[in-house]
Amino acid sequence: MIKVDNVTVGYGTTAFVKAVDRVNLTINDNEILGIAGESGSGKSTLMRAIYGDFSTGLRIASGTITGRFARNGTGAVTEAESHDFGQLWWDQISYIPQGSMSVLNPLMKVEKQVVDGLPKRERQGNRAELRRRIATFLEGFGLEESVLDAFPHQLSGGMRQRVLVAIAAFVNPRLILADEPTTALDVVVQKKILLMMVEIQRRQRNSLVLVSHDLGVHYQITDRLVVMYQGKIVEAGPTAGIFANPQHEYTQTLIASLPRIDGTRAEARR
Amino acid sequence: MRLLRYIAGRLVVYALVVVFGLTVLFFVPRLGPTDPIEAMLAKVASQGAYMDASQVDALRQSLADTFGLSGSLLEQYWAFIKRILLTGDFGPSLSMYPTPVMELIMNALPWTFGLLLTSTLIAWVLGNFVGLLSGWKPESSSSRVMEGVAICLYPIPYYILALVLSILFSYIWQIFPLTTTIRGAPWSWNLVTSILWNSFLPGASIVIVVFGWWVISVKAQTTALKEEEFVRYARLKGLGDGRILARYVLPNAILPQITFLALQIGLMFNGSLITEILFDYPGLGLLIYTAVLQGDFNLLMGTISLSVIAVATATMVIDLIYPLIDPRIRHR
Amino acid sequence: MRILKLFENAPFRLYLGLFLVALFVLVGAILPWFAPADPLVWYTTPRNQDPSWTYPLGTTSLGQDVFWLLTWALRNSLILGLLVAFFSTLIGVFLGLAAGYAGGWLDRVLSFLMDALLCIPSLPILILMAALFGGQLALPIVGVALVLFNWPYPARQVRAVALTMREREFVNVAWFSGESSVRILVRHIFPYIAGWSAANFINTVLVGISTESALAVIGLSSAQQATLGTMIYWAINYQALLAERYVWVGAPVLAIVLMFIGLFLVSSGLSMRSAARRMSV
């Protein structure tokens, strides 16, 4: 669905600072792809380039990122380069930011923030109907309808993150990009959110890209994993395979540093 | 429950502020080196009215009453506060005898409020619009020019601007009337146009200064808000600039200014008083000025007590409205 | 566009403002000494002269030299503004620190006083005083009244800073290492509020001059002293407008406008700079 072809991305026009260096990557339909790496490895820059967010001086120096989106229902196919993805935002592609305190408009109720930006196809019916559908959708993930009438400051960190996941998922897009969605949350809440994302992906059968520095997170839900180091992809493959048998030295140290109860964690997954 | 406690607390403070203000007014006449009553009598005499000794004595007695100068200081104070707060009775006007002062004030108040409210509202809308745009695109030359203009307008006092406007548009180019004369039958179209026509310059002087202030502050707010995560998120949702400005930036830019407005009301009121005097605009300011010129002490005490109460009330109303508007306080 | 672009960064704003203010301070502080005659005295010059080399801004219908009158007015207005700002800031900083630092009932009483004074309009009270004390107020009385109405602005700000300061780490460290309260105030807290206080000081100069002028323009300030406001009042009162002698009334108006823009630029430049510095702390 997305093809990243030998792409170099960086910042600035006069003095170009390279953040992603000649990367090749494919995002398939109906999969959860993880992008791992430490901060400064270029994973967030790559994600922004894939999303098509070229504000603040982000620039593709060489290579192409192309997308092919088959619309739900009609089956009509849209092809575009990531420069033009802006038209597909909150339609074919949506995005889950890290749920910090200030990521939601503090003066707007959650319901409005779900509705704001929704594509026409998800808006049918009057306000009451739309609200009922949103409420049902939320209830599917254990969120009460009252959340819709809350203002962001009334939600806990975990709640806010679940709302953000729900906002992105209610769009019913073909591709969801999540940027460190579980960072700064405790493990129990983390687990809830990861399960929620898996369930959404399984239901909507779309693609989910999960960017996180936390290998434990990738281990729990991704189908395929890409490890980035210093702007390059150093390892890629099925997540289970990488954990069982890491090839690159960097991945090996990352996996070795994970806390474990016994030495057979890789097998314990299934 | 919390909100009720806040409102109750604010009301108590309001009552204390009003009493405090009136206390200041009570003591001012007693601080001076001269006896206010004798000063008033001299003023009335200098207006050319001839009075024989018994009339002067009667007037002196009635002034002593309205000042509450009989009895001990504590009794005087108590009588003064009680009379203003409980009965709102300031006695008859001396220069427009026997019209009650309260009636004169009630005729003047709508003019002052109308002028201040309308011009502040116009300036608010214009200032928000311009400030928002120039903060959103600070690099564009038009927003630079607008900011330059705002910086030059804001520090100018209302009355200076009023003076300049009246010199320019009433003396040099005689477009607008120099003093206010309202004509037209009640509720007629003529009356409305006459009011608008006469209010234009005094209103404009307030609009221009307040406009400058809003542009400067909204611009600063917008520049800061542009970097906020929720604005970035809204942009990544694919929302257009117009919607982001209207729904995300504007409300967040306006809120903090409401508290500032509460602090500014006193200064704005000061400014409008002088503007009214300069344009002969029939509001509270002109009434105060008339009272000073005519030595009408009852009218003076009444108008100034009411000014204090009005400003304190306006400040309280804004303070009370704020938590209703800001959900972060309303739903804690 | 170049010039407007420079407005963006604080230093230029600050420098332009400082330049304007310095100009007026110099004119107001030095030139009055060189006045050929007391410009308040009538008929020291021919009447109704247009601007010329001998009379740079012309003369009034009472035979006063407008230029020298303006320098005297500037001096008096500036002295008043500076004194008002000095005492307001002094009292404000002191009481603000006391309220924020001591807390308890002292804080409650002072906070109430600040809030109450802030929502009492100063001009009506000044008008009342003027009307009661013989129709005009001497400048020192105006000054004292203005100080009474203006100290709450710095006090509120300083109190807020002092409140957050009490919780700051470095203040606690100083506290536990046995520094005295006064020393903590002077060494750790005062530098912190100095920037804000400076901006506020300038602002108070502006408010002080502005309020006195407002009183003067309607003829209720001192008639014995020239200030920018009384100059405007005299000009209007002696029919400068009907006689179309616009320089007479225009000179003090322009002086007020330029000086206020200068003061505002300095105060906003200062607060921008201390905001930047506060972020970097």
Side-chain angles (χ1 to χ4, degrees):
Chain A
M1 111 173 291
I2 301 275
K3 218 175 148 42
V4 178
D5 189 11
N6 203 23
V7 152
T8 300
V9 195
Y11 298 89
T13 40
T14 43
F16 186 75
V17 182
K18 212 188 281 180
V20 172
D21 191 7
R22 276 168 291 150
V23 160
N24 287 294
L25 177 67
T26 313
I27 302 169
N28 302 317
D29 287 331
N30 194 14
E31 75 164 349
I32 302 182
L33 173 71
I35 302 180
E38 60 196 12
S39 53
S41 64
K43 59 184 193 312
S44 289
T45 307
L46 179 62
M47 198 214 73
R48 283 185 59 195
I50 294 176
Y51 193 70
D53 171 21
F54 292 104
S55 60
T56 63
L58 188 71
R59 194 159 70 83
I60 295 186
S62 66
T64 54
I65 300 177
T66 44
R68 226 181 101 85
F69 301 92
R71 283 180 185 274
N72 275 339
T74 61
V77 173
T78 318
E79 279 201 42
E81 285 219 22
S82 69
H83 272 285
D84 305 318
F85 279 3
Q87 302 152 12
L88 303 173
W89 288 350
W90 248 248
D91 179 12
Q92 299 297 312
I93 319 175
S94 67
Y95 161 78
I96 303 170
Q98 190 183 325
S100 74
M101 196 62 213
S102 60
V103 76
L104 288 167
N105 184 348
L107 304 181
M108 215 188 240
K109 282 184 181 171
V110 168
E111 181 185 359
K112 276 225 173 102
Q113 313 217 28
V114 178
V115 174
D116 219 17
L118 272 189
K120 269 210 188 71
R121 65 179 148 83
E122 301 296 335
R123 266 178 195 268
Q124 313 113 351
N126 57 29
R127 263 188 66 186
E129 276 175 57
L130 183 56
R131 185 191 161 94
R132 208 170 313 126
R133 279 198 295 124
I134 296 173
T136 335
F137 185 78
L138 289 183
E139 265 158 34
F141 303 104
L143 290 169
E144 286 167 31
E145 186 175 347
S146 61
V147 169
L148 289 179
D149 296 315
F151 285 95
H153 70 276
Q154 295 170 289
L155 304 177
S156 66
M159 202 67 135
R160 206 159 42 231
Q161 190 66 60
R162 280 153 83 186
V163 165
L164 286 169
V165 173
I167 291 178
F170 191 74
V171 175
N172 192 11
R174 297 314 302 148
L175 172 66
I176 300 178
L177 302 183
D179 186 9
E180 302 275 6
T182 57
T183 310
L185 296 173
D186 69 73
V187 190
V188 181
V189 182
Q190 227 177 52
K191 183 92 186 173
K192 265 189 195 164
I193 287 160
L194 291 176
L195 286 176
M196 180 175 173
M197 291 201 295
V198 174
E199 196 179 334
I200 286 166
Q201 194 275 332
R202 299 295 180 239
R203 236 197 267 169
Q204 301 183 335
R205 309 186 69 75
N206 51 13
S207 313
L208 172 65
V209 176
L210 176 65
V211 174
S212 174
H213 68 277
D214 185 351
L215 274 184
V217 166
H218 291 296
Y219 179 73
Q220 289 179 64
I221 68 164
T222 58
D223 301 318
R224 214 151 57 82
L225 182 62
V226 165
V227 182
M228 288 190 74
Y229 183 62
Q230 292 187 341
K232 291 190 194 327
I233 292 184
V234 292
E235 187 148 6
T239 309
I242 290 183
F243 273 88
N245 187 16
Q247 298 297 311
H248 194 270
E249 200 184 328
Y250 176 66
T251 323
Q252 286 163 2
T253 47
L254 277 183
I255 292 175
S257 67
L258 280 178
R260 60 189 67 199
I261 296 167
D262 54 36
T264 59
R265 182 161 178 162
E267 283 78 35
R269 189 180 182 206
R270 299 283 133 103
Chain B
M1 212 43 234
R2 234 193 182 120
L3 192 63
L4 281 180
R5 270 240 300 276
Y6 171 82
I7 292 175
R10 198 61 199 75
L11 285 174
V12 169
V13 171
Y14 165 70
L16 287 175
V17 166
V18 168
V19 171
F20 176 78
L22 293 179
T23 309
V24 171
L25 287 185
F26 173 80
F27 281 106
V28 164
R30 290 162 177 79
L31 286 176
T34 51
D35 181 353
I37 295 183
E38 295 309 322
M40 282 295 143
L41 288 173
K43 190 95 184 177
V44 172
S46 76
Q47 297 289 315
Y50 173 76
M51 287 185 284
D52 60 41
S54 65
Q55 273 177 307
V56 172
D57 273 346
L59 189 54
R60 183 174 287 136
Q61 188 52 47
S62 95
L63 278 175
D65 276 351
T66 44
F67 274 106
L69 283 185
S70 34
S72 72
L73 199 65
L74 202 66
E75 282 168 17
Q76 291 175 21
Y77 177 70
W78 177 238
F80 176 83
I81 298 284
K82 204 169 63 179
R83 195 161 48 86
I84 293 181
L85 286 187
L86 297 186
T87 61
D89 172 27
F90 298 105
S93 158
L94 303 179
S95 57
M96 282 163 268
Y97 197 83
T99 322
V101 165
M102 208 54 193
E103 192 182 317
L104 291 172
I105 292 176
M106 283 307 155
N107 288 337
L109 266 187
W111 292 95
T112 297
F113 278 134
L115 184 69
L116 255 179
L117 275 181
T118 324
S119 19
T120 311
L121 207 67
I122 294 173
W124 183 73
V125 172
L126 286 178
N128 269 312
F129 186 72
V130 172
L132 207 57
L133 289 186
S134 65
W136 192 246
K137 296 224 181 307
E139 300 304 316
S140 79
S141 54
S142 61
S143 57
R144 284 180 193 291
V145 171
M146 277 327 294
E147 198 193 8
V149 169
I151 286 176
C152 292
L153 288 179
Y154 168 62
I156 305 175
Y158 300 89
Y159 53 90
I160 293 294
L161 209 67
L163 201 65
V164 172
L165 288 179
S166 89
I167 291 175
L168 287 182
F169 296 106
S170 301
Y171 272 101
I172 301 183
W173 305 297
Q174 297 172 354
I175 305 172
F176 287 99
L178 197 55
T179 59
T180 309
T181 30
I182 307 290
R183 289 197 189 82
W187 304 111
S188 71
W189 182 243
N190 275 347
L191 183 72
V192 174
T193 50
S194 168
I195 290 175
L196 288 180
W197 188 243
N198 282 285
S199 307
F200 187 83
L201 283 187
S205 68
I206 298 176
V207 167
I208 291 172
V209 175
V210 179
F211 169 78
W213 150 248
W214 282 103
V215 170
I216 292 172
S217 77
V218 174
K219 194 203 156 197
Q221 288 286 340
T222 307
T223 331
L225 283 168
K226 236 170 44 170
E227 308 300 321
E228 280 287 337
E229 275 181 79
F230 65 82
V231 173
R232 186 179 118 87
Y233 182 49
R235 199 170 49 72
L236 292 181
K237 270 179 160 187
L239 299 177
D241 271 13
R243 194 171 178 82
I244 295 178
L245 278 176
R247 301 285 296 275
Y248 290 75
V249 178
L250 183 64
N252 284 287
I254 288 175
L255 261 194
Q257 285 156 7
I258 294 177
T259 36
F260 190 87
L261 195 65
L263 289 180
Q264 287 290 93
I265 285 185
L267 292 178
M268 282 171 62
F269 185 81
N270 282 354
S272 80
L273 289 190
I274 307 288
T275 306
E276 282 177 15
I277 295 171
L278 289 177
F279 284 102
D280 265 341
Y281 197 79
L284 207 55
L286 191 63
L287 207 56
I288 292 178
Y289 194 53
T290 320
V292 172
L293 291 186
Q294 310 271 330
D296 186 340
F297 195 82
N298 283 352
L299 186 57
L300 190 63
M301 216 53 187
T303 44
I304 289 180
S305 307
L306 217 92
S307 306
V308 171
I309 295 175
V311 171
T313 310
T315 314
M316 176 208 56
V317 168
I318 290 182
D319 272 2
L320 283 185
I321 287 176
Y322 185 76
L324 295 180
I325 302 176
D326 191 339
R328 282 162 296 192
I329 299 179
R330 190 175 20 152
H331 306 280
R332 192 136 41 185
Chain C
M1 284 314 94
R2 251 269 167 66
I3 291 179
L4 286 169
K5 191 167 193 166
L6 288 169
F7 262 93
E8 201 68 352
N9 42 23
F12 176 72
R13 250 189 207 206
L14 199 57
Y15 294 141
L16 181 68
L18 282 174
F19 170 75
L20 278 173
V21 172
L23 190 75
F24 281 105
V25 168
L26 284 180
V27 168
I30 296 172
L31 285 185
W33 298 99
F34 297 99
D38 184 345
L40 282 178
V41 178
W42 293 358
Y43 309 120
T44 49
T45 62
R47 302 168 52 194
N48 292 327
Q49 298 293 304
D50 281 329
S52 64
W53 280 111
T54 16
Y55 308 112
L57 295 174
T59 62
T60 70
S61 63
L62 303 167
Q64 301 158 295
D65 188 316
V66 174
F67 177 76
W68 295 109
L69 192 58
L70 184 66
T71 59
W72 280 48
L74 259 177
R75 182 190 64 186
N76 289 338
S77 284
L78 275 172
I79 291 176
L80 179 85
L82 287 171
L83 285 179
V84 167
F86 176 76
F87 286 108
S88 304
T89 312
L90 196 71
I91 297 173
V93 168
F94 180 74
L95 292 184
L97 278 180
Y101 207 62
W105 65 268
L106 185 66
D107 183 28
R108 256 182 248 157
V109 170
L110 286 175
S111 297
F112 170 75
L113 264 183
M114 294 176 208
D115 289 345
L117 281 171
L118 282 179
C119 61
I120 292 176
S122 52
L123 195 61
I125 308 256
L126 280 169
I127 293 178
L128 177 69
M129 288 167 68
L132 290 175
F133 303 163
Q136 284 180 333
L137 278 186
L139 282 187
I141 297 183
V142 176
V144 170
L146 285 175
V147 170
L148 285 180
F149 281 110
N150 279 303
W151 68 265
Y153 290 92
R156 266 172 72 113
Q157 217 163 41
V158 169
R159 175 180 172 268
V161 173
L163 274 182
T164 61
M165 276 301 173
R166 273 204 313 195
E167 316 299 327
R168 288 290 175 105
E169 203 61 28
F170 64 88
V171 175
N172 282 339
V173 169
W175 185 256
F176 286 125
S177 62
E179 284 194 63
S180 72
S181 308
V182 178
R183 235 176 111 80
I184 291 176
L185 281 182
V186 173
R187 292 240 342 233
H188 299 283
I189 297 187
F190 205 76
Y192 214 74
I193 53 177
W196 292 110
S197 301
N200 191 82
F201 176 87
I202 301 292
N203 216 24
T204 313
V205 174
L206 198 155
V207 172
I209 296 178
S210 171
T211 313
E212 190 278 334
S213 300
L215 201 61
V217 164
I218 53 173
L220 294 178
S221 185
S222 167
Q224 274 77 47
Q225 299 287 336
T227 65
L228 291 169
T230 44
M231 233 183 123
I232 296 173
Y233 171 69
W234 288 330
I236 294 172
N237 218 26
Y238 293 110
Q239 309 299 344
L241 291 177
L242 285 181
E244 303 197 339
R245 307 201 54 76
Y246 296 119
V247 179
W248 184 6
V249 68
V253 166
L254 199 67
I256 285 190
V257 168
L258 285 181
M259 188 162 73
F260 281 13
I261 290 175
L263 287 170
F264 173 69
L265 285 176
V266 174
S267 106
S268 71
L270 280 176
S271 60
M272 269 161 94
R273 224 174 57 167
S274 61
R277 196 181 300 156
R278 198 167 66 151
M279 260 169 237
S280 66
V281 163

